[in-house]
Amino acid sequence: MSLERQILLVMLCYLLSFFYIRMFIWGVIGYQLNNSALKKRRKGLTFKEWLFYSRYREEIPKVLIAVYMVMLLIHPIVLITCVVLYFLLGMNEVGPMLAKGVSLFFFGWRLIYFLMFWSPRPGIPFGRWIKKKRGNRKR
């Protein structure tokens, strides 16, 4: 696999992972909070809070936060590693394996979440795995 394809595969998985997991996390937050509480929390949201969900740590399950953080970190690390291995060390065997590993990670977590939250009815049944919390949190 050429370096361009490795970069394309890792970046595509990164963008899709970022999109899918953020969409799923916002669904969990919407399930946990009512509309009024959600609007109050979104007011004045900074980029850092938006990226790391620091305002919503009590509503989001820890496993989901862990997968999100791993996804945020692992893709750029693999991308840099592929480029470094190709240009500096001349190793073209490890880079394709890393790129394929990232794609397997992407399809793996997507399959797990699909199986956990699959329903023949429209909408995601968050209540199957996530306990619902109401209203604002205590400060």
Side-chain angles (χ1 to χ4, degrees), residues 81-134:
T81 304
C82 287
V83 171
V84 166
L85 289 175
Y86 185 82
F87 284 116
L88 297 181
L89 302 177
M91 298 174 66
N92 199 18
E93 300 85 27
V94 180
M97 290 190 315
L98 288 173
K100 289 175 186 175
V102 164
S103 65
L104 285 175
F105 174 72
F106 169 71
F107 288 113
W109 75 259
R110 287 287 299 151
L111 179 65
I112 289 170
Y113 282 120
F114 174 76
L115 293 175
M116 286 177 65
F117 293 98
W118 182 82
S119 175
R121 296 184 204 127
I124 300 173
F126 292 112
R128 185 182 299 166
W129 298 98
I130 301 169
K131 185 178 177 184
K132 192 165 188 165
K133 299 174 186 170
R134 291 285 187 180

Side-chain angles (χ1 to χ4, degrees), residues 35-50:
N35 288 338
S36 175
L38 192 58
K39 286 179 184 178
K40 288 176 186 177
R41 295 258 190 106
R42 282 188 180 170
K43 197 174 199 178
L45 193 68
T46 65
F47 178 75
K48 183 180 174 185
E49 290 171 333
W50 174 84

